[in-house]
Amino acid sequence: MDAIVEAALKKWPNVPHCYGWLALDARGDWYMRDERIQAAGPFPQVKGSRILHDKLIGFIERNYAVDDQGAWFFQNGPQRVYVQLEAAPWVWRLQPDGRVLSHTGREAQVSAAVLDEHDRLFLEADLGLGLVHTQDMGPAADAIERGQWAMTSTTHAALIARFGVMLEPAAPGSR
C-alpha cells in the first residue's frame, strides 16, 4: 500500500466505504461506474467508462486488496472503494519466459488449472484465483499439455465459493 494511503487511513479512520463505482472486467480492465451507469444496468452488461489514465491505474493496482469477507477493494486514501468483479479478482497474463503475472503486474506461482462451465480457464495460485486472459489461452493450453498444471473442471459458482470471492460487494444492509 502506498505510504500516502497509510497516512490518510491514520488521519481519517472512519470514512464510509464506496460501493458500485469501480469494476474489473475479465480482461483486467478497470471501469468507473457513476450513478447513471449503475442505474442503466448491472456490471458487466453495462460496463461504464474504461479507465485509461496510466497513473490512476497504477495507483489502483498498488492499493488493490481483499477484506476478510472476500470482497476486493481499492484503498483510495482513507476510503475503501469496493470492486465489482466480472469473473475473478485476478486476470493472469502468461509471459514468454513462463512466468504468470496478474493484471496488476504481480508474479504468481500457479498450482492448478480449472475449466468452468463456460470454458473459461482459471488458475489457482499463491495470490488466489484468477482468470487467464483470452489472449493467453494458447500458451496456457501448451502448459497444460506439458503437464505443468493439473487441470480439473467445475462451475464458476463453485469455484468462486471455494475461494471465498465476493463478485459484487454491497454496503451492509443494502441487499
Side-chain angles (χ1 to χ4, degrees):
M1 192 176 301
D2 288 357
I4 193 168
V5 171
E6 290 176 354
L9 280 168
K10 290 177 185 165
K11 189 171 183 179
W12 300 290
N14 298 314
V15 173
H17 301 321
C18 178
Y19 296 87
W21 286 74
L22 184 63
L24 178 70
D25 77 358
R27 295 180 61 86
D29 292 323
W30 298 100
Y31 286 85
M32 289 296 299
R33 293 181 40 80
D34 63 20
E35 289 172 337
R36 180 183 60 80
I37 294 298
Q38 291 177 44
F43 183 78
Q45 289 78 18
V46 180
K47 286 193 172 184
S49 301
R50 185 170 165 222
I51 299 173
L52 300 172
H53 191 278
D54 289 337
K55 290 189 184 221
L56 177 56
I57 292 168
F59 184 61
I60 291 169
E61 292 178 348
R62 285 191 312 275
N63 296 287
Y64 181 55
V66 64
D67 70 15
D68 293 336
Q69 286 74 46
W72 288 78
F73 63 90
F74 151 54
Q75 189 71 48
N76 182 25
Q79 183 177 56
R80 283 187 178 179
V81 178
Y82 280 93
V83 179
Q84 292 177 301
L85 305 170
E86 181 174 351
W90 301 107
V91 177
W92 304 127
R93 298 304 314 257
L94 281 64
Q95 305 302 300
D97 63 5
R99 292 178 305 135
V100 175
L101 299 180
S102 72
H103 66 282
T104 66
R106 292 181 63 186
E107 188 168 354
Q109 302 304 313
V110 175
S111 58
V114 183
L115 199 63
D116 79 355
E117 73 275 21
H118 304 292
D119 292 328
R120 295 181 295 185
L121 184 62
F122 292 83
L123 299 178
E124 299 176 9
D126 58 337
L127 297 179
L129 178 69
L131 177 67
V132 173
H133 193 285
T134 55
Q135 291 180 331
D136 296 331
M137 289 301 291
D142 292 342
I144 291 166
E145 286 179 5
R146 286 192 309 271
Q148 186 173 338
W149 306 315
M151 190 162 104
T152 60
S153 61
T154 190
T155 65
H156 183 244
L159 191 58
I160 292 300
R162 191 175 74 192
F163 278 85
V165 173
M166 190 180 300
L167 293 176
E168 193 172 334
S174 68
R175 290 196 180 210

